[in-house]
């Protein structure tokens, strides 16, 4: 499948200054920018910066960033699912995963996450994909936000819906391990029915086991 990427940019005014929401950006562009030290939800900021440069280099990899002047203060990533996860087992070439979304505490509550998703979906090529995200409560910054799992889940669902992602049922054991976990997905307008059926089979693998 050919992976076209069309660059988009948008300005977002916040109480802390104007942000540029842009992407998908190239590995070289990302490497040349500062990476805010508070972007450490997944690993130390310096390591995460390198990891994102690696994703931007992938053929299917897409990274949309929120930039304050020369510093990345938020991002969202899209890439093929981890080979160890159920979602890669169907070998669905047009299925990509929203792998991570992160915004530094200073800019939370400024609709940055929502705008990262809106800019992501401006690219018409996204209509060729099934886009999934797996939300696990243990990845959420409950301590930093003082929210409980249900309040946080509500915010995540609202943010994801800005990008057209909806809740989908699944029997995936990790998602089923806590009721706040969930699978969300967006099925592009041009996705063929065979891919949708294969995705449905992936969502409910356990019902085929006897």
């Amino acid at each position: 499948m050919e992976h076209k990427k069309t660059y988009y940019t948008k300005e977002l005014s916040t109480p802390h200054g104007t942000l540029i929401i842009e992407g998908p950006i190239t590995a070289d562009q990302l490497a040349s920018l500062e990476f805010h030290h508070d972007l450490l939800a997944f690993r130390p900021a310096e390591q995460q910066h390198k990891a994102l440069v690696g994703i931007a280099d992938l053929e299917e990899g897409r990274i949309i960033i929120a930039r304050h002047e020369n510093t990345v203060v938020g991002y969202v990533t899209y890439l093929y699912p981890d080979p160890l996860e159920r979602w890669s087992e169907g070998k669905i070439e047009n299925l990509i995963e929203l792998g991570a979304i992160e915004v530094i505490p200073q800019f939370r509550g400024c609709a940055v996450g929502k705008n990262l998703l809106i800019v992501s979906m401006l690219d018409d090529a996204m209509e060729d994909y099934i886009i999934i995200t797996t939300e696990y409560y243990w990845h959420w910054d409950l301590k930093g936000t003082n929210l409980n799992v249900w309040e946080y889940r509500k915010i995540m669902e609202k943010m994801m819906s800005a990008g057209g992602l909806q809740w989908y049922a699944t029997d995936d054991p990790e998602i089923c391990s806590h009721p706040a976990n969930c699978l969300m997905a967006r099925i592009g307008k041009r996705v063929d029915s065979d891919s949708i059926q294969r995705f449905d089979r992936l969502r409910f693998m356990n019902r085929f086991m006897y």
Side-chain angles (χ1 to χ4, degrees):
M1 181 173 181
E2 197 181 338
H3 302 284
K4 291 179 191 160
K5 299 178 191 176
T6 307
Y7 170 88
Y8 286 90
T9 182
K10 177 184 181 180
E11 282 194 6
L12 177 66
S13 294
T14 81
H16 308 289
T18 300
L19 297 185
I20 306 297
I21 313 284
E22 61 182 343
I25 67 165
T26 66
D28 287 345
Q29 285 173 311
L30 188 51
S32 71
L33 294 169
E34 297 291 319
F35 198 75
H36 200 282
H37 55 80
D38 282 337
L39 291 171
L40 39 70
F42 300 95
R43 53 175 73 86
E46 198 180 322
Q47 289 176 28
Q48 185 65 351
H49 192 187
K50 280 183 190 159
L52 295 188
V53 169
I55 291 169
D57 241 352
L58 297 171
E59 190 196 348
E60 86 283 1
R62 290 169 174 266
I63 295 184
I64 315 298
I65 62 163
R67 174 169 60 80
H68 184 242
E69 295 171 353
N70 201 40
T71 301
V72 178
V73 296
Y75 63 85
V76 60
T77 70
Y78 299 89
L79 69 166
Y80 283 141
D82 187 311
L84 300 175
E85 287 186 345
R86 163 189 296 216
W87 312 107
S88 66
E89 287 177 29
K91 303 280 188 283
I92 305 171
E93 203 181 78
N94 53 346
L95 186 149
I96 56 173
E97 184 168 20
L98 189 168
I101 185 163
E102 187 179 6
V103 177
I104 66 167
Q106 184 188 359
F107 285 100
R108 285 184 197 159
C110 301
V112 179
K114 179 182 171 182
N115 279 280
L116 284 166
L117 289 165
I118 289 168
V119 171
S120 302
M121 303 308 167
L122 289 174
D123 190 347
D124 181 64
M126 291 305 228
E127 299 302 338
D128 294 321
Y129 290 100
I130 298 171
I131 301 161
I132 66 161
T133 183
T134 50
E135 290 301 327
Y136 303 119
Y137 82 92
W138 49 84
H139 287 161
W140 299 343
D141 184 14
L142 300 173
K143 207 186 332 183
T145 55
N146 285 325
L147 297 172
N148 66 39
V149 285
W150 298 110
E151 290 165 335
Y152 204 105
R153 154 90 181 252
K154 205 171 180 182
I155 286 170
M156 290 301 290
E157 280 201 53
K158 195 175 174 188
M159 181 173 67
M160 294 298 173
S161 71
L165 286 95
Q166 303 170 314
W167 179 87
Y168 275 79
T170 179
D171 61 11
D172 177 71
E174 266 204 286
I175 290 172
C176 294
S177 70
H178 191 280
N181 295 344
C182 65
L183 168 71
M184 296 187 76
R186 178 187 188 274
I187 297 174
K189 293 190 187 103
R190 291 190 295 271
V191 173
D192 61 288
S193 57
D194 179 57
S195 295
I196 295 170
Q197 285 170 6
R198 286 161 71 195
F199 173 53
D200 288 341
R201 285 199 292 273
L202 271 187
R203 290 195 294 124
F204 292 104
M205 286 173 73
N206 295 337
R207 69 180 177 197
F208 300 108
M209 293 166 65
Y210 296 100

